[in-house]
């Protein structure tokens, strides 16, 4: 039976070889072919005349062949074929290099449509290596031509033909997924027309309408899928109703500072979730240094006082240990047992922690990925926190929460993004935002300099250290790399320790060191037994040493904006004026732009928006990693207006018809089911 999920082999002219090529493009079925959209288009639909055509650009002309071919061989390996023509108001030549076989294909006195680059040699006009077709035949040339992403062995022409014949044979099998109601409201064309025109547009306007419809469809489905997942977890998933915790006030009152307004608001949002018999799925986004850890600690406190175990996962051992230590001091005066679970523990230690977790003798465990390994079992895990969630995939978050029986879930990120996009990326989560820094923080001063300034930078560091401060110096590499311009950390370390800063205490930290060594160094830096920490980006996230007030980043052009902002966030955590110095070797436009942005803003929201703009959303999100279906045509940044409408409509549908009942919604329900079946984000 004919079916859109049939293999492309069903299409005339597609044998084992071509289907192999198609597979490399991710095309297996007829439907895949329909949804393999052109990368771009070449517009040949505007005919012009030789006199009006722009030299150096492609143009479409209608010409009459005046005489037979001339072949010139100016040197070995080069053969030039010229055929004279005239058009409405001029004369010229069609010219091919090393393609003599065209010489007998064009008939004197006949008219042709041609398309090629216009060239001028003295007084002579030429159309270079033109495509051509006889006037009177099917007009394929005078169109907007699709240009596809290709793979070796498959030409654009071949792929166009395969898609064209599959459309001819099978387009009637495609079902409409958009409800008529919506199509009428936004004047969206039908799916068959849209698919035909996205591949072979009959005009610019037809292409525009096809894109508009397909983008809307894609974004609506994405947003609906996310909202449905969220309502599903909210409706169906019974969660834990944590008892109110009268000690919480005392716990917060015992802190050395009072919470900011934003912290209070976010904590009360979490508290409200915790008090409900539904599973919490909440994201806390807040800039670096906004004080997310204490929010996590306070909610964990309530969970534990309510009789449950809690766990917090961090992306690096350094960060996990730091959280562990602050929890020890926060919870020290309560009868709460907190342990650290990381890969580097001794086997014996690990076993005993695993046993105690299983038996419920441990209340809080802080750790790395080690927490989500199979062997880790809990007695009654009720609350899970993922710190710096952008470092984890959805799968890991999911595995983590599966360690408990529908625990409340809190994820924290220091890469805040605008709300429209947060709705997509975190569509399955409720969102809280800490949009305020603790009081008294001085704005970090940021300077981008070139490498010739290094001596002055060092003198500055020297002075700050003499005043009792500490400095981080970050370099991207561990070993000497192929590119000698890049400072390796080890080389930097040698230099600094033995020359520039031989009067100060200098430490080295990098990812390849043993965990115990890393801990020792970090501990020493924290206790001010070291003045300078030379490091790779292992300190990028989370690390909190308030006395450190200088961050120097070598080869700053190698880092993205988000990463630079994170690194800079290691300073400015105490009462001292802090400085970030970016040593930039590049004059490339994008590097200069990044340096400019870093110098002009310390606001994570602003920076992530700029980042998005510079890198484009694909790279920014890596949607695949987040478990979302790939976007084939929509672009979250460029298509922001359609995105907003689609989000609003998706919300309306969920509010009015959450089960997608009724014939008008059948197609939509089916498509959502297909797309999101394997992508259960949190459940
Ligand atoms: P991040 O949001 O980057 O994870 P942290 O939780 O590490 O930030 O907090 C940064 C620093 O600010 C820590 O030293 C923390 O103790 C301190 N801090 C947090 N909240 C406040 C507050 N309300 N007032 C003063 N300092 C605070
Ligand atoms: Mg943090």
């Amino acid at each position: 039976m004919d079916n859109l999920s049939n293999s492309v082999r069903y299409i005339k002219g597609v044998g084992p070889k071509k289907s192999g090529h198609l597979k490399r493009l991710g095309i297996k079925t007829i439907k895949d072919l329909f949804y393999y959209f052109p990368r771009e288009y070449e517009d040949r639909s505007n005919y012009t005349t030789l006199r009006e055509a722009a030299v150096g650009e492609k143009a479409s002309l209608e010409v009459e062949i005046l005489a037979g071919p001339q072949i010139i061989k100016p040197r070995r390996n080069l053969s030039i074929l010229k055929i004279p023509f005239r058009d409405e108001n001029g004369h010229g030549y069609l010219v091919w290099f090393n393609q003599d076989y065209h010489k007998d294909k064009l008939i004197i006195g006949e008219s042709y449509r041609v398309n090629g680059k216009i060239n001028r040699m003295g007084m002579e006009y030429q159309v270079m290596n033109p495509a051509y077709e006889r006037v009177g035949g099917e007009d394929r040339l005078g169109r907007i031509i699709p240009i596809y992403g290709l793979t070796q062995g498959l030409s654009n022409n071949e792929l166009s033909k395969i898609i064209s014949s599959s459309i001819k044979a099978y387009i009637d099998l495609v079902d409409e997924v958009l409800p008529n109601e919506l199509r009428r409201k936004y004047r969206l064309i039908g799916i068959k027309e849209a698919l035909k025109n996205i591949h072979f547009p009959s005009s610019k306007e037809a292409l525009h309408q096809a894109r508009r419809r397909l983008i809307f469809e894609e974004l609506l489905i994405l947003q609906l899928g996310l909202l449905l997942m969220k309502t599903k977890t909210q409706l169906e998933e019974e969660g834990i109703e944590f008892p109110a915790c009268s000690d919480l006030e005392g716990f917060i009152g015992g802190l050395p500072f009072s919470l900011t307004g934003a912290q209070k608001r976010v904590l009360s949002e979490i508290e409200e979730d915790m008090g409900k018999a539904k599973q919490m799925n909440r994201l806390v986004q807040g800039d670096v240094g906004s004080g997310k850890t204490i929010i996590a600690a306070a909610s964990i406190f309530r969970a534990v006082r309510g009789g449950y175990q809690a766990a917090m996962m961090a992306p690096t051992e350094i960060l996990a240990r730091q959280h562990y230590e602050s929890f020890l001091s926060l919870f020290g005066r309560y009868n709460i047992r907190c342990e650290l679970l990381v890969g580097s523990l001794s086997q014996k230690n690990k076993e005993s922690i695993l046993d105690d977790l299983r038996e419920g003798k441990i209340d809080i465990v802080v750790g790395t990925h080690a927490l989500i390994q199979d062997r880790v079992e809990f007695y009654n895990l009720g609350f899970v926190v993922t710190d710096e969630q952008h470092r984890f995939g959805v799968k890991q978050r999911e595995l983590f929460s599966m360690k408990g029986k529908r625990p409340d879930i809190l994820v924290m990120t220091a890469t805040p993004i605008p709300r429209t996009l947060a709705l997509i990326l975190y569509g399955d989560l409720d969102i809280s935002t800490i949009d305020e820094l603790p009081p008294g923080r001085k704005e970090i001063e940021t300077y981008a300099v070139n490498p010739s300034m290094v001596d002055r930078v060092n003198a500055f560091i020297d002075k700050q250290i003499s005043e009792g401060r500490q400095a981080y110096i970050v370099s991207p590499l561990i070993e000497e790399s192929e590119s000698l311009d890049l400072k390796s950390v080890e080389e930097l370390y040698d230099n600094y320790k033995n020359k520039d800063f031989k009067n100060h205490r200098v430490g080295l930290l990098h990812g390849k060191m043993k965990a115990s060594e890393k801990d020792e160094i970090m501990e020493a830096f924290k206790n001010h037994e070291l003045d300078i920490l030379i490091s790779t980006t292992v300190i990028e996230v989370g690390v909190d040493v308030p006395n450190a007030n200088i961050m120097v980043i070598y080869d700053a052009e190698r880092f993205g904006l988000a990463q630079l902002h994170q690194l800079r966030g290691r300073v400015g955590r105490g009462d001292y004026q802090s400085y970030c110095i970016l040593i930039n070797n590049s004059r490339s436009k994008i590097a200069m732009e990044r340096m400019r942005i870093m110098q002009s803003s310390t606001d994570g929201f602003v920076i992530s928006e700029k980042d998005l703009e510079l890198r484009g959303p694909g790279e920014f999100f890596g949607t695949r990693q987040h478990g979302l279906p790939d976007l084939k045509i929509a672009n979250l940044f460029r298509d922001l207006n359609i995105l907003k409408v689609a989000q609003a409509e998706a919300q309306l549908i969920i509010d009015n018809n959450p089960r997608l009942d009724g014939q008008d919604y059948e197609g939509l329900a089916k498509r959502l089911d297909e797309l999101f079946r394997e992508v259960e984000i949190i459940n």
Side-chain angles (χ1 to χ4, degrees), residues 176-191 209 212-213 216 220 645 649 653 663-665:
E176 180 61 70
V177 294
L178 290 184
N180 288 324
E181 206 185 345
L182 269 184
R183 278 182 42 210
R184 267 197 303 273
K185 184 164 170 193
Y186 294 104
R187 302 215 183 94
L188 300 167
I189 60 172
I191 185 64
Q209 291 303 338
R212 195 169 150 263
R213 184 235 135 96
F216 183 89
L220 180 79
V645 175
E649 284 299 334
I653 292 174
Q663 214 188 341
D664 212 14
Y665 288 83

Side-chain angles (χ1 to χ4, degrees), residues 601-619:
S601 178
T602 50
D603 182 336
F605 283 89
V606 173
I607 287 176
S608 69
E609 229 170 324
K610 294 283 180 198
D611 200 17
L612 199 65
E613 216 175 303
L614 285 179
R615 287 201 287 166
E619 222 184 308

Side-chain angles (χ1 to χ4, degrees), residues 425-475:
L425 188 52
Y426 308 121
D428 53 325
L429 303 170
D430 293 309
I431 299 168
S432 293
T433 305
I434 308 184
D435 49 7
E436 183 185 353
L437 292 179
R441 293 275 168 82
K442 295 206 177 66
E443 182 114 330
I444 302 169
E445 289 179 22
T446 302
Y447 304 94
V449 303
N450 63 45
S452 67
M453 304 270 280
V454 163
D455 286 343
R456 282 178 62 187
V457 172
N458 288 347
F460 179 71
I461 297 173
D462 191 62
K463 183 157 166 282
Q464 290 288 323
I465 289 176
S466 315
E467 286 169 21
R469 303 286 79 72
Q470 290 164 278
Y472 297 98
I473 297 179
V474 171
S475 167

Side-chain angles (χ1 to χ4, degrees), residues 529-543:
E529 291 152 18
L530 291 172
D531 303 303
I532 298 179
L533 186 62
I534 315 253
S535 172
T536 58
T537 53
V538 288
I539 55 150
E540 178 185 335
V541 289
V543 171

Side-chain angles (χ1 to χ4, degrees), residues 257-260 263 287-293 438 441 544 573:
F257 46 75
S258 48
L259 297 184
T260 62
Q263 281 173 317
D287 210 343
V288 278
S290 60
K292 293 181 291 293
T293 314
R441 293 275 168 82
D544 186 39
R573 299 181 154 248

Side-chain angles (χ1 to χ4, degrees), residues 317-443:
E317 252 191 75
I318 293 175
L319 189 51
R321 182 171 296 270
Q322 177 183 291
H323 286 326
Y324 168 67
E325 277 162 10
S326 54
F327 284 7
L328 284 186
S329 76
L330 284 168
F331 300 127
R333 60 199 181 89
Y334 301 92
N335 183 22
I336 288 176
R337 182 169 162 208
C338 181
E339 292 290 347
L340 178 70
L341 185 65
V342 290
S344 65
L345 290 187
S346 74
Q347 200 55 31
K348 197 165 143 244
N349 248 329
K350 212 179 280 173
E351 291 302 333
S352 96
I353 290 182
L354 289 180
D355 287 344
D356 290 356
L357 272 179
R358 199 178 314 110
E359 288 161 24
K361 292 180 188 159
I362 295 174
D363 302 301
I364 304 173
V365 63
V366 182
T368 53
H369 296 82
L371 286 174
I372 52 179
Q373 272 155 17
D374 284 348
R375 303 177 47 230
V376 182
E377 290 167 47
F378 289 83
Y379 176 69
N380 68 346
L381 180 64
F383 199 84
V384 299
V385 184
T386 308
D387 192 18
E388 308 291 353
Q389 70 79 38
H390 63 286
R391 293 296 202 86
F392 295 100
V394 172
K395 262 264 135 5
Q396 292 168 316
R397 243 162 64 196
E398 195 182 334
L399 278 176
F400 190 28
S401 65
M402 272 160 38
K403 294 286 179 192
K405 216 168 142 201
R406 287 194 279 282
D408 275 6
I409 297 167
L410 184 65
V411 298
M412 307 200 296
T413 176
T415 310
I417 53 171
R419 194 178 155 74
T420 17
L421 297 174
L423 276 177
I424 290 284
L425 188 52
Y426 308 121
D428 53 325
L429 303 170
D430 293 309
I431 299 168
S432 293
T433 305
I434 308 184
D435 49 7
E436 183 185 353
L437 292 179
R441 293 275 168 82
K442 295 206 177 66
E443 182 114 330

